[in-house]
Amino acid sequence: MKKVLLATAFSIAVTLPALAQFPPPGVYQCVDMNGTAFGVLSLQVAGDYQFDSSVTLGGSGQVASSGNSVNAVSGPLADIGLAGSFTTDERGEASFIFTTNMGSLLCALPQ
């Protein structure tokens, strides 16, 4: 019985990061699907962001999230229709795949 309870507790603990409402804060480098630099996304707690880019306008705004889905609701990322999702690896580091009206983007922590 103890082994079943421990296995259940471990399973819950491992899956909890995937249930987060907001994506993990951090500074993410974004590239297009050709690997060309697109910008730098700085996510703060509760969905505030700063975006810097040489390809499009930068600035600040907010993203909304539900589960692992993310949508820009204000600022320059909303202006380009950014929507997508994130995944979290075993170290708790997130990566994002977004669609925009300028094409698809991949954003991840610098290597």
Side-chain angles (χ1 to χ4, degrees), residues 53-74:
S53 176
S54 61
V55 179
T56 188
L57 292 177
S60 59
Q62 272 214 318
V63 295
S65 62
S66 176
N68 71 335
S69 296
V70 180
N71 298 301
V73 294
S74 67

Side-chain angles (χ1 to χ4, degrees), residues 81-108:
L82 181 129
S85 62
F86 69 95
T87 58
T88 306
D89 67 15
E90 64 279 353
R91 294 182 311 259
E93 296 179 353
S95 59
F96 300 81
I97 186 80
F98 294 118
T99 58
T100 74
N101 57 25
M102 298 178 74
S104 296
L105 303 175
L106 174 64
C107 300

Side-chain angles (χ1 to χ4, degrees), residues 26-86:
V27 178
Y28 298 90
Q29 292 181 338
C30 300
V31 297
D32 66 18
M33 290 299 114
N34 294 319
T36 304
F38 189 84
V40 176
L41 174 61
S42 300
L43 280 175
Q44 287 92 39
V45 177
D48 293 326
Y49 73 82
Q50 174 68 36
F51 185 68
D52 298 304
S53 176
S54 61
V55 179
T56 188
L57 292 177
S60 59
Q62 272 214 318
V63 295
S65 62
S66 176
N68 71 335
S69 296
V70 180
N71 298 301
V73 294
S74 67
L77 297 180
D79 293 343
I80 62 171
L82 181 129
S85 62
F86 69 95

Side-chain angles (χ1 to χ4, degrees), residues 1-8:
M1 183 66 169
K2 277 186 176 180
K3 286 183 180 181
V4 171
L5 290 175
L6 286 174
T8 302

